[in-house]
Amino acid sequence: DCPAACFQRIKLRAGVAGVMAGTSLTFGRGWRGNGVLATAAIGTLLVDPWSARNVGFQLSYGAVLALRYGSDPVDRCLATCWPKRWTLQDGWVLVWMRGLRLAFAASLAASLMSTPITLLSFGSISPWCAVASTMLGPLAALLTVIASIVVVIGWMPFIGPMLGWPLWCLGWLFLQ
């Protein structure tokens, strides 16, 4: 597949999921994760039945399912080998450590789900996936926030260049 075709498929999945979620909220059905996910997958398959064979489709929905149902069991497993002194005290360091454990559990669950698909499709896997996902998540969030601010107020004198430098640095770091 060429990059343009891959991007079109990503837009299709995101668009269908957005339309389905918006429709659900409009008709007062609320935001029910399983129903929205299933409806988005079915809607995508109705629009493009061959997308089920697409690696991006499999990885997207597989990772979401892993995050939804695999994060808690993985976190419980990680909690068994968590040092007791980190759970007995209360403080900001401990809150951050628990947050890092939860983020790592989510990354590990998504990696466990995506590894067989990646191995079958591309013939290789990376042992660094869960670690990289845990570290890159906050970096991507910060990058998105700064980019959003630049989009809104970047036209103002000195604001664009002032925010552009950290944006460039974070983007470079993210690509490394």
Side-chain angles (χ1 to χ4, degrees):
D1 282 336
C2 69
C6 291
F7 186 65
Q8 291 295 338
R9 287 191 183 107
I10 291 169
K11 287 192 322 187
L12 172 71
R13 284 193 299 273
V16 169
V19 166
M20 296 301 174
T23 304
S24 174
L25 291 171
T26 301
F27 289 111
R29 302 283 298 166
W31 179 268
R32 292 185 179 91
N34 291 339
V36 171
L37 183 65
T39 307
I42 291 167
T44 303
L45 292 172
L46 286 173
V47 173
D48 181 14
W50 289 105
S51 58
R53 296 192 55 167
N54 182 277
V55 177
F57 178 88
Q58 296 166 7
L59 289 172
S60 293
Y61 289 104
V64 170
L65 287 171
L67 290 172
R68 201 159 161 76
Y69 295 107
S71 297
D72 286 338
V74 171
D75 185 48
R76 283 194 297 273
C77 289
L78 290 175
T80 60
C81 52
W82 202 247
K84 291 292 183 202
R85 64 188 175 103
W86 286 358
T87 57
L88 297 177
Q89 300 171 356
D90 192 26
W92 69 271
V93 172
L94 301 175
V95 170
W96 276 90
M97 292 301 290
R98 176 138 170 44
L100 285 174
R101 187 185 82 204
L102 289 172
F104 185 70
S107 298
L108 191 57
S111 294
L112 289 172
M113 170 60 92
S114 62
T115 297
I117 298 168
T118 306
L119 185 60
L120 288 173
S121 299
F122 303 112
S124 66
I125 56 171
S126 172
W128 297 104
C129 289
V131 174
S133 294
T134 303
M135 292 171 52
L136 290 178
L139 180 62
L142 183 60
L143 189 61
T144 303
V145 167
I146 293 174
S148 299
I149 292 170
V150 168
V151 166
V152 174
I153 63 171
W155 58 270
M156 297 171 67
F158 303 111
I159 297 292
M162 187 172 66
L163 292 176
W165 177 248
L167 189 60
W168 183 88
C169 290
L170 289 171
W172 180 84
L173 186 61
F174 191 81
L175 291 173
Q176 300 308 311

